């Protein structure tokens, strides 16, 4: 039986390309998810896959790094697939572990190393970019839902007794956003007090 495994790292990414390729490759069942390759959720999905497959099955992925982002996760997954008597077929890498030979094994190890290297480079570049942006005083992360003026108005309204629910409706935001906004303005006020002291 051909069993597919599809994964994307975030909810914004689309699984459809992988699912289409796996379908074209003849997969009868596909395990899929939107989770980081280093997450517990990914480990759980892989375990579901391993528990499902039987001897003679073929596990198919579009790329080797779909199994996980760390070399250890990838190699452990391959070992577990082989222990069940199944093989791994990587579409984009044109690699099939049913060809149990030294060249095939070396290629799998190399692919895993490069998948990890790529992730480490991305992490390093991201960290450098964040450090540079921080040094320039740029805002990191999501922008607040309310502008400073609106946030102060909301804060004052809360001080005057308006409820969280009423403020959420008034500013067309969620209740957690109202709580975060109040905390943000409190922090700004406390910081300004400490500077003037």
């Amino acid at each position: 039986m051909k069993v597919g495994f599809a994964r994307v790292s975030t909810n914004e990414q689309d699984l459809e390309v992988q699912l289409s390729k796996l379908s074209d490759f003849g997969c009868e069942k596909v395990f899929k998810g939107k989770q980081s390759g280093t997450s517990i959720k990914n480990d759980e999905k892989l375990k579901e896959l391993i528990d499902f497959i039987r001897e003679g099955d073929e596990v198919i992925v579009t790329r080797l790094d779909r199994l996980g982002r760390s070399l250890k996760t990838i190699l452990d997954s391959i070992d577990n697939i082989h222990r069940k008597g199944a093989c791994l077929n990587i579409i984009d890498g044109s690699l099939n572990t049913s060809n149990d030979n030294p060249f095939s094994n070396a290629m799998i190890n190399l692919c895993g190393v490069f998948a990890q290297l790529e992730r480490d480079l991305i992490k390093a570049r991201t960290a450098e970019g964040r450090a540079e942006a921080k040094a320039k005083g740029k805002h990191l992360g999501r922008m607040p839902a309310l502008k400073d003026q609106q946030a102060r108005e909301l804060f004052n309204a809360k001080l005057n007794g308006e409820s969280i629910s009423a403020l959420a409706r008034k500013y067309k935001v969620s209740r957690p956003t109202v709580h975060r906004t109040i905390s943000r303005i409190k922090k700004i006020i406390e910081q300004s007090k400490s500077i003037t002291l």
Side-chain angles (χ1 to χ4, degrees), residues 42-54:
N42 192 60
D43 292 341
E44 289 167 356
K45 276 282 176 204
L46 284 169
K47 187 178 183 314
E48 280 180 44
L49 169 77
I50 302 300
D51 288 346
F52 178 81
I53 57 175
R54 299 289 177 264

Side-chain angles (χ1 to χ4, degrees), residues 12 24 35 39 75 81 96 105-106 112 115 125 132 157 177 183 192:
E12 285 76 31
D24 291 346
Q35 71 271 345
S39 69
L75 296 179
I81 289 166
N96 192 327
N105 292 332
R125 283 196 297 267
E132 191 177 328
T177 298
S183 296
S192 65

Side-chain angles (χ1 to χ4, degrees), residues 9 36-38 65 68-70 113-126:
S9 299
S36 163
T38 56
D65 66 354
R69 287 299 196 148
S70 76
V113 167
F114 283 118
Q116 170 120 23
L117 176 63
E118 182 183 23
R119 173 158 174 78
D120 290 346
L121 288 171
I122 290 167
K123 278 172 74 177
R125 283 196 297 267
T126 303

Side-chain angles (χ1 to χ4, degrees), residues 79-109:
D79 280 345
N80 288 331
I81 289 166
H82 288 169
R83 278 197 198 101
K84 293 294 291 276
C87 68
L88 176 69
N89 195 339
I90 304 145
I91 298 173
D92 292 355
S94 301
L95 196 62
N96 192 327
T97 65
S98 62
N99 309 321
D100 191 17
N101 59 56
F103 177 75
S104 177
N105 292 332
M107 282 302 293
I108 287 164
N109 281 292

Side-chain angles (χ1 to χ4, degrees), residues 3-197:
V3 184
F5 186 81
R7 177 186 68 79
V8 288
S9 299
T10 67
N11 285 325
E12 285 76 31
Q13 292 175 314
D14 194 359
L15 274 167
E16 286 309 310
V17 174
Q18 289 178 60
L19 295 175
S20 176
K21 283 185 180 182
L22 293 171
S23 174
D24 291 346
F25 223 76
C27 289
E28 299 163 61
K29 181 164 178 67
V30 175
F31 289 84
K32 61 184 178 181
K34 294 190 175 188
Q35 71 271 345
S36 163
T38 56
S39 69
I40 291 169
K41 198 172 174 188
N42 192 60
D43 292 341
E44 289 167 356
K45 276 282 176 204
L46 284 169
K47 187 178 183 314
E48 280 180 44
L49 169 77
I50 302 300
D51 288 346
F52 178 81
I53 57 175
R54 299 289 177 264
E55 189 169 350
D57 285 349
E58 186 179 1
V59 176
I60 299 168
V61 292
T62 56
R63 293 200 325 255
L64 190 59
D65 66 354
R66 295 305 84 202
L67 290 174
R69 287 299 196 148
S70 76
L71 181 57
K72 184 181 185 308
T73 301
I74 292 168
L75 296 179
D76 284 350
S77 299
I78 294 168
D79 280 345
N80 288 331
I81 289 166
H82 288 169
R83 278 197 198 101
K84 293 294 291 276
C87 68
L88 176 69
N89 195 339
I90 304 145
I91 298 173
D92 292 355
S94 301
L95 196 62
N96 192 327
T97 65
S98 62
N99 309 321
D100 191 17
N101 59 56
F103 177 75
S104 177
N105 292 332
M107 282 302 293
I108 287 164
N109 281 292
L110 274 174
C111 288
V113 167
F114 283 118
Q116 170 120 23
L117 176 63
E118 182 183 23
R119 173 158 174 78
D120 290 346
L121 288 171
I122 290 167
K123 278 172 74 177
R125 283 196 297 267
T126 303
E128 285 170 11
R130 287 177 69 85
E132 191 177 328
K134 205 170 181 181
K136 290 178 180 175
K138 290 183 181 174
H139 176 81
L140 298 174
R142 275 179 21 185
M143 294 300 288
L146 299 173
K147 291 190 165 78
D148 284 349
Q149 181 61 37
Q150 289 177 307
R152 286 180 186 279
E153 286 170 10
L154 181 150
F155 182 78
N156 289 330
K158 180 70 179 89
L159 289 179
N160 291 329
E162 274 200 62
S163 71
I164 297 292
S165 297
L167 289 168
R169 284 193 300 275
K170 183 177 178 180
Y171 289 93
K172 296 184 174 83
V173 293
S174 67
R175 289 166 54 91
T177 298
V178 173
H179 285 291
R180 280 195 301 271
T181 303
I182 292 165
S183 296
R184 178 162 65 95
I185 298 301
K186 270 185 187 170
K187 206 175 282 182
I188 291 169
I189 291 167
E190 284 165 10
Q191 285 171 347
S192 65
K193 279 181 184 172
S194 65
I195 289 166
T196 53
L197 288 174

